[in-house]
Amino acid sequence: MDRENYILTIINDYCLGGDSFITTDKLFSLCQKAISGLTYEAFCAELIIESNDKLIYIDSNHIYSYLTWRYECSAAENLEKLILDNSFACSCNTNSFENLSPDQREALIMALKHRLSLILGGAGSGKTTLISAIVDAASVGNNYVLCAPTGKAARNLTERTGLIARTVHSALGKAPNEDFLDAVRWEYTQLVIVDEASMMSLEMLSGILNRISKDCRVVLIGDPNQLLSVGAGDVLNDLISLGFPCYTLTKNHRLSSNDNALAHNVLNFPALQSVLDLKEDVSFVIIEKDNNTSYSSAAIDAAQRYLNGESVQVLSPYKKAVQDLNKMIQDRVNIFYDGQRTFENRKTLFRDGDRVLITENDRDRKVVNGDIGILRILSDTDEHFEFCVEMSDGRKAIWNYPESYSGKDKISLAYAMTVHRSQGSEYDTIILPLTMDRQMMLYRNLFYTAISRAKCRVIIYGTKQAADICIKHIQSKRKSKLVERVNTLLRSIA
């Protein structure tokens, strides 16, 4: 590792796991592993240098990146103000109440009465329908911002509501690693709705709260059982801890039958304590396989379903397993033949006709991170290398020479993907190989996110022991001082 600013690099990598800060002892341990021969004296000297350069912030025994510390402090100051004055005059378009269930109506009224509120609900609980109703009921014309943490979630939201949705980064006009705390204000914005808010990071929350005026409502909508953000923060739980208005939707509107095992396992997931509480039938089945055969069995099943044209997705908690599964399924679904155009990138051989995933937002090509399509290699000569990805809705993202060489880095095979990648998407069938290898990566919210992507069936290849670990293994609470900072501010004016 480069010795220049190495402490900030290690902090940023560590905080991708969700903590806002790292303790001094833990930081030194990680630095020792990265920098050969590093002494504690040299480490402390570098701490002072990076602190003086405003790259990091030292808060007693807790070390932040300087930006994350600013985000936490700014969010705390704005949340304190909202706690002291969170009411909003409730005037609305009552026609928006039509076709809403009773709990959706209560959630709608709550959102309209407050400057900041949360609406929670599991898969299929009617959150998307409610978003459209809130926009209509608030009667704000075009003076609203509808956004989501990821490009895929934003596109899904647009497709389901017919309303224009953007990523949080795009709405703020920011790229990752830029400073979200500038002087720009949304003076005319009267409503901000963030969907898939479980994935919302501290910087996103801070950026939004820094932009809004007193005439704006903010509604965060999400599923508390899903995976949290990649990056610092536990936004939903912190806001609930601070007592912000929160309504939980309980009725299911998506799953085909409330009597089947899939619906039971998803809707009642918060109450499930072990694998014994899972129901099984044709909609949810665990097929017992050992570690050596679970992946191959999943690949064989998935390949046949892909060839049949079914809506199916293979998911895995592990990136390495995803690579192996993609190769196994590719060899069955898109068998190599003489003359087939191919190209290689990062040890992956792409073939013409492969199912691929877009891995970066690309405004010029009108695709987002998470879009899935079919790869067409139009030319594979050194003088003219060209390929495109054809999406099912007719969009085509084309990379021409010389951009096509960098375009290789913007796609991956999509026969299998990580559970994180799937968040915000839906498929008829989810196939999930679940084994005891690397069991420390098996978590409750990961298991829920995987099974709740399915509309019709979940097929698990593996062991019930692994499923049991998933259900019982709750990730440790993310380290943050946001709630503490807000309460300190409130006490100072009491």
Side-chain angles (χ1 to χ4, degrees):
M1 175 180 287
D2 191 342
R3 290 293 292 257
E4 185 177 3
N5 302 331
Y6 69 88
I7 289 178
L8 176 61
T9 299
I10 290 172
I11 291 173
N12 285 337
D13 288 345
Y14 176 83
C15 289
L16 288 174
D19 290 346
S20 295
F21 60 81
I22 184 172
T23 62
T24 306
D25 289 345
K26 179 66 175 178
L27 178 59
F28 178 55
S29 175
L30 293 177
C31 289
Q32 277 188 309
K33 293 177 181 178
I35 305 296
S36 177
L38 180 69
T39 65
Y40 189 71
E41 290 74 17
F43 166 73
C44 291
E46 185 64 26
L47 274 180
I48 294 172
I49 292 171
E50 294 195 27
S51 175
N52 289 339
D53 291 341
K54 293 189 175 181
L55 298 174
I56 66 173
Y57 186 86
I58 303 173
D59 186 356
S60 184
N61 187 41
H62 302 141
I63 315 298
Y64 290 78
S65 76
Y66 193 78
L67 270 180
T68 300
W69 173 75
R70 289 183 65 225
Y71 294 148
E72 193 171 89
C73 292
S74 175
E77 292 169 2
N78 284 312
L79 289 172
E80 178 225 6
K81 295 172 185 176
L82 285 167
I83 288 173
L84 296 173
D85 181 17
N86 195 28
S87 61
F88 204 102
C90 184
S91 58
C92 65
N93 175 11
T94 56
N95 292 331
S96 305
F97 286 63
E98 296 179 6
N99 302 319
L100 294 183
S101 63
D103 62 344
Q104 286 175 318
R105 292 178 186 177
E106 289 191 39
L108 173 58
I109 293 171
M110 180 206 67
L112 295 176
K113 285 184 175 180
H114 297 93
R115 293 176 61 197
L116 176 61
S117 60
L118 298 84
I119 298 174
L120 309 180
S125 59
K127 298 188 295 293
T128 303
T129 299
L130 188 54
I131 289 171
S132 298
I134 292 172
V135 172
D136 188 40
S139 301
V140 294
N142 292 321
N143 296 322
Y144 67 91
V145 172
L146 182 57
C147 55
T150 68
K152 181 64 173 177
R155 182 178 294 283
N156 287 343
L157 188 55
T158 294
E159 292 173 351
R160 294 170 189 169
T161 64
L163 304 171
I164 296 175
R166 295 174 283 174
T167 64
V168 175
H169 286 82
S170 175
L172 293 170
K174 296 294 181 180
N177 300 321
E178 288 186 339
D179 187 351
F180 279 36
L181 301 179
D182 54 29
V184 176
R185 293 289 184 271
W186 288 335
E187 298 292 350
Y188 301 104
T189 299
Q190 297 174 273
L191 174 67
V192 176
I193 299 178
V194 183
D195 192 26
E196 298 287 357
S198 68
M199 294 188 285
M200 193 175 183
S201 64
L202 176 62
E203 69 173 1
M204 295 178 189
L205 174 68
S206 181
I208 288 174
L209 296 181
N210 191 56
R211 293 289 183 94
I212 61 172
S213 70
K214 289 186 176 181
D215 298 321
C216 181
R217 301 178 180 94
V218 178
V219 187
L220 307 183
I221 299 180
D223 186 339
N225 296 306
Q226 286 195 28
L227 290 165
L228 302 180
S229 65
V230 176
D234 188 359
V235 169
L236 292 184
N237 285 325
D238 283 350
L239 295 181
I240 291 170
S241 296
L242 288 168
F244 281 95
C246 178
Y247 192 94
T248 300
L249 302 170
T250 56
K251 184 177 179 181
N252 184 270
H253 300 270
R254 180 200 299 173
L255 295 171
S256 57
S257 171
N258 286 335
D259 297 324
N260 68 25
L262 173 59
H264 172 272
N265 295 337
V266 171
L267 294 177
N268 297 289
F269 193 81
L272 303 185
Q273 300 298 315
S274 75
V275 70
L276 299 176
D277 296 326
L278 289 173
K279 284 189 176 181
E280 288 190 61
D281 60 19
V282 292
S283 70
F284 193 102
V285 59
I286 300 176
I287 300 175
E288 293 273 2
K289 297 287 181 179
D290 60 29
N291 288 354
N292 295 325
T293 59
S294 61
Y295 293 109
S296 59
S297 298
I300 292 169
D301 187 355
Q304 189 58 57
R305 292 178 187 274
Y306 280 128
L307 290 170
N308 291 342
E310 297 181 34
S311 169
V312 58
Q313 184 61 57
V314 180
L315 301 179
S316 173
Y318 322 123
K319 289 184 180 180
K320 178 60 170 67
V322 166
Q323 295 170 357
D324 295 340
L325 285 161
N326 270 318
K327 175 61 175 170
M328 287 189 283
I329 300 170
Q330 180 193 48
D331 286 342
R332 290 173 170 82
V333 173
N334 190 15
I335 301 170
F336 178 76
Y337 57 87
D338 288 342
Q340 185 180 31
R341 286 175 171 162
T342 66
F343 65 78
E344 187 173 1
N345 189 49
R346 296 181 179 178
K347 299 182 179 180
T348 297
L349 182 65
F350 292 89
R351 302 169 185 169
D352 185 69
D354 273 332
R355 186 175 193 258
V356 295
L357 175 83
I358 303 291
T359 59
E360 291 184 21
N361 296 333
D362 191 325
R363 186 175 300 177
D364 292 337
R365 292 178 174 83
K366 298 181 180 179
V367 292
V368 299
N369 186 348
D371 274 339
I372 291 176
I374 301 300
L375 175 66
R376 303 298 181 195
I377 304 176
L378 307 177
S379 176
D380 59 356
T381 66
D382 290 337
E383 295 77 19
H384 188 236
F385 175 43
E386 181 179 13
F387 69 89
C388 80
V389 178
E390 299 177 347
M391 264 60 70
S392 59
D393 59 6
R395 285 176 295 130
K396 292 183 180 181
I398 301 175
W399 282 269
N400 295 295
Y401 175 88
E403 291 90 347
S404 52
Y405 290 106
S406 61
K408 288 181 179 180
D409 293 332
K410 298 181 180 180
I411 63 171
S412 65
L413 293 177
Y415 303 107
M417 67 176 69
T418 62
V419 178
H420 278 87
R421 279 279 187 195
S422 74
Q423 200 157 351
S425 299
E426 298 175 16
Y427 307 90
D428 285 349
T429 300
I430 289 295
I431 295 178
L432 179 66
L434 209 56
T435 64
M436 291 297 293
D437 56 329
R438 301 180 69 187
Q439 60 183 274
M440 288 304 296
M441 292 185 66
L442 301 177
Y443 290 102
R444 183 175 174 88
N445 56 357
L446 183 142
F447 185 72
Y448 171 80
T449 301
I451 67 173
S452 62
R453 299 308 90 208
K455 293 190 288 185
C456 299
R457 67 189 62 83
V458 169
I459 304 171
I460 296 174
Y461 287 96
T463 66
K464 291 191 175 182
Q465 183 183 7
D468 193 59
I469 289 174
C470 279
I471 294 172
K472 293 177 178 177
H473 191 187
I474 299 173
Q475 283 183 295
S476 58
K477 182 173 174 55
R478 292 182 165 192
K479 297 183 181 70
S480 166
K481 288 189 174 182
L482 181 60
V483 174
E484 177 184 331
R485 292 187 194 281
V486 175
N487 288 330
T488 298
L489 291 170
L490 290 170
R491 285 194 299 269
S492 70
I493 63 173

